[in-house]
Amino acid sequence: MAAAASQSVKIARRGLMLVISSPSGAGKSTIARTLMDKDKQIGLSVSVTTRQRRQSEIEGVHYQFVSQREFERLRDSDSLLEWAQVHGNYYGTPREAVETAMGEGRDMLFDIDWQGAQQLQEKMAADVVSIFILPPTMAELQSRLHRRAEDTEEVIQTRLNNSRAEIAHWREYDYVIVNDDLNSAFDAVQSIVKAERLRRDRRHGLFDFVEGLIA
Ligand code: 5GP
């Protein structure tokens, strides 16, 4: 079982399902990657997608890239915990890795859109902590998408057009962070994780600890 990192007394707790959503280009993936680098207690849920692999992406690390047919097979055999169509491609969260991690009390990070966030919230409300990342301005969002320079102009335009619809779901999240400075946005995410790990209702080990304390 995982335990609160900040304390020397180890108290067993359930794992967190940390869901991070944002429109493309708001910095969600950078924040997610930094969190994974700095916090070894969190595992990343690697999604399956029918989208074309970008040059910088590695199969099995960023995504499992699958055909439409394979995606449908996974979806129809109930192997996906949630799935959605985003910007014209299909994306889904493989069920097994999540259920194993949760069973072992490990934390998991999900870089998924609002449709996926809603589905996880419906199925596993007690374990989900959701964060929405906003860009400081729409102009900054646009320039970040261009700076990334990994997508065609057409793909960038689709993503920009979809960003307002994505942002419209901000109220469905537990926390909202405006990413005008990457370091502060990252600090905010770390604070959320730290506090959520300490929540009483997540720490089933507290019962025995307190019983022992006052015995
Ligand atoms: P990208 O193509 O830029 O990697 O991702 C496009 C969008 O799909 C992002 O908002 C990303 O968070 C979302 N996404 C990635 N994987 C999943 C998934 O498994 N499920 C859902 N619902 N959305 C996903």
Side-chain angles (χ1 to χ4, degrees), residues 2 16 20-21 36 39 41-42 56 59 62 67 90 115 138 152 172 176 183 188 192 196 203 208:
L16 288 182
I20 305 191
S21 302
M36 301 291 308
D39 189 331
Q41 284 190 67
I42 303 185
S56 63
E59 161 70 31
H62 297 92
S67 64
Y90 287 93
Q115 304 173 82
M138 294 309 272
T152 62
E172 295 158 26
V176 177
N183 286 333
I192 292 166
E196 287 285 346
R203 303 167 81 200
D208 285 343

Side-chain angles (χ1 to χ4, degrees), residues 78-203:
D78 207 25
S79 305
L80 302 179
L81 195 53
E82 63 74 33
W83 66 274
Q85 190 176 13
V86 190
H87 313 311
N89 296 298
Y90 287 93
Y91 297 82
T93 299
R95 176 189 296 281
E96 205 182 314
V98 181
E99 289 183 347
T100 305
M102 289 300 109
E104 293 172 359
R106 286 186 282 115
D107 300 327
M108 267 208 137
L109 176 65
F110 301 80
D111 172 343
I112 60 178
D113 85 325
W114 65 270
Q115 304 173 82
Q118 269 188 1
Q119 293 171 59
L120 292 190
Q121 186 68 46
E122 276 160 24
K123 289 181 183 162
M124 298 157 116
D127 296 324
V128 170
V129 175
S130 59
I131 304 178
F132 197 84
I133 313 276
L134 287 169
T137 63
M138 294 309 272
E140 176 61 20
L141 190 71
Q142 184 162 8
S143 85
R144 284 185 197 168
L145 280 175
H146 281 112
R147 255 183 277 150
R148 181 159 80 185
E150 280 213 84
D151 293 317
T152 62
E153 189 54 36
E154 192 188 343
V155 168
I156 291 177
Q157 282 314 318
T158 309
R159 286 173 177 249
L160 274 175
N161 292 340
N162 292 345
S163 60
R164 283 188 169 76
E166 177 90 28
I167 289 173
H169 290 274
W170 66 274
R171 290 180 192 82
E172 295 158 26
Y173 289 75
D174 298 320
Y175 299 93
V176 177
I177 296 173
V178 179
N179 180 16
D180 50 359
D181 171 73
L182 199 57
N183 286 333
S184 346
F186 179 68
D187 277 354
V189 170
Q190 268 193 317
S191 307
I192 292 166
V193 171
K194 216 169 178 176
E196 287 285 346
R197 281 179 175 153
L198 290 170
R199 282 186 70 101
R200 173 176 46 76
D201 51 6
R202 237 183 268 294
R203 303 167 81 200

